């Protein structure tokens, strides 16, 4: 029986990864460690809470003694590390919170893994989940490869870059068997409505303005979250130690084009006249240090491990919209309370 620790499994991507591992690997004992911050929600993983191979542990990765105690109780074979502060706008408001969770929290996990595994690394693996934002910004041409130098611009991406460096350093210095994945923007069910796609779906449902940064020409690559979970599963089991794999959707969109597509799909779903939702688009003051373009070259994971996205953007968006329309209670719950204060401060 393998014991696997997944951190951040009550968040957006983590919930999909935990669900996949619990359902797909009944012979693994899966531990989901999550602090349940504003972004973590037990509702996201309600369907697996009673599975015999699943345990939820509430705790903070920044708390060193808690992490040490947890590891001395359980000799984990593998760690999939997703817990993070993940929203760029929040990192501009409170960078230190990002250093604490993303850098210090990652360090605590690296240290316990190193100390517990004590050089006996057979069958062990530390999989660090990261972002393409560590590579900085592209011009209108080119793609991020695994060899692109790090050049982070936001406090969020700087904190993730720092944690990536520490992971690599533990590999080089202590031979820790790590794997790193850097992925582009995810979208899909259970996405907290502070990020573009769920924020706009929620605002369209409620006929609220759609606050678009700058001129709307920022460009991102988008990947359906379940395809990311499949890629993580594949890399965790089949990837080579001490390697980085870029994960992307081969799916670049300018924000304004994406928003128009989303508006049209939402108009169809809500039975509104085409063009209704587009009238809600409101250009707002740009985010400082906003990266122009991210685009991923995911050919390494494709060639070496045979992974590619399973759904088109249109299919993924349709699944996503359907999920939000069928789960409006979830949306209401997560947008009550402190979300309102955050929203007011961010977009007023
Ligand atoms: N969302 C994306 O598009 C994207 C893309 C590439 C990589 N990533 C990376 O994937 C990971 C997951 O991202 P997400 O979008 O699901 O984030 P999220 O914000 O939805 O979830 C983060 C989870 O981590 C938990 N958490 C936060 N601080 C913690 C702490 N100190 N201790 C324990 N748990 C804590 C939260 O409660 C939450 O459940 C992150 O590492 C992020 O950098 C995200």
């Amino acid at each position: 029986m393998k014991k696997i620790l997944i951190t951040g499994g009550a968040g957006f991507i983590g919930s999909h990864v935990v669900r996949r591992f619990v359902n797909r690997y009944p012979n693994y004992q899966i531990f989901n460690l999550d602090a349940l911050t504003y972004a973590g929600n037990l509702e996201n993983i309600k369907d697996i809470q009673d599975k015999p191979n699943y345990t939820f542990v509430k705790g903070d990765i920044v708390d060193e003694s808690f992490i040490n105690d947890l590891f001395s109780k359980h000799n984990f074979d593998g760690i999939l590390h997703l817990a993070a502060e993940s929203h760029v706008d929040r990192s501009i408001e409170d960078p230190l919170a990002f250093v604490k969770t993303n850098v210090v929290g990652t360090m605590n996990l690296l240290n316990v893994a190193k100390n517990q595994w004590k050089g006996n690394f057979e069958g062990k693996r530390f999989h660090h989940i990261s972002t393409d934002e560590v590579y900085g910004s592209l011009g209108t041409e080119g793609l991020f490869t695994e060899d692109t130098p790090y050049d982070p611009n936001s406090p969020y991406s700087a904190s993730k870059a720092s944690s990536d460096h520490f992971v690599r350093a533990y590999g080089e210095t202590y031979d820790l068997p790590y794997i790193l994945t850097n992925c582009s923007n995810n979208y899909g069910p259970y996405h907290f409505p502070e990020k573009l796609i769920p924020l706009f779906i929620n605002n369209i449902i409620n006929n609220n303005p759609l606050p678009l940064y700058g001129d709307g020409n920022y460009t991102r690559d988008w990947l359906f979250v379940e395809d990311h979970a499949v890629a993580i599963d594949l890399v965790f089991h089949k990837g080579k130690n001490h390697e980085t794999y870029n994960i992307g959707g081969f799916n670049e969109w300018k924000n304004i084009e994406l928003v128009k597509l989303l508006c049209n799909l939402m108009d169809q779903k809500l039975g509104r006249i085409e063009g209704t939702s587009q009238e809600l688009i409101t250009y707002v003051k740009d985010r400082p240090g906003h990266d122009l373009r991210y685009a991923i070259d995911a050919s390494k994971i494709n060639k070496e491990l045979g992974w590619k996205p399973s759904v088109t953007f249109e299919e993924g968006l349709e699944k996503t919209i359907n999920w939000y329309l069928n789960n409006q209670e979830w949306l209401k719950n997560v947008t009550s309370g402190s979300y309102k204060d955050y929203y007011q401060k961010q977009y007023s």
Side-chain angles (χ1 to χ4, degrees), residues 128 142 331:
H128 182 60
L331 258 181

Side-chain angles (χ1 to χ4, degrees), residues 8-14 33-41 59-62 81-86 101 129-132 156 160 183-186 191-192 194-195 228:
F12 166 48
I13 301 171
L33 166 61
D34 198 296
L36 299 181
T37 68
Y38 79 94
N41 188 348
D60 188 343
I61 57 169
V62 182
H81 176 34
L82 294 103
E85 287 293 340
S86 70
T101 289
I129 283 81
S130 193
T131 164
D132 61 352
Y156 165 65
K160 291 296 292 188
C183 186
S184 59
N185 278 20
N186 285 214
H191 206 182
F192 192 77
E194 63 186 353
K195 310 274 170 69
H228 189 190

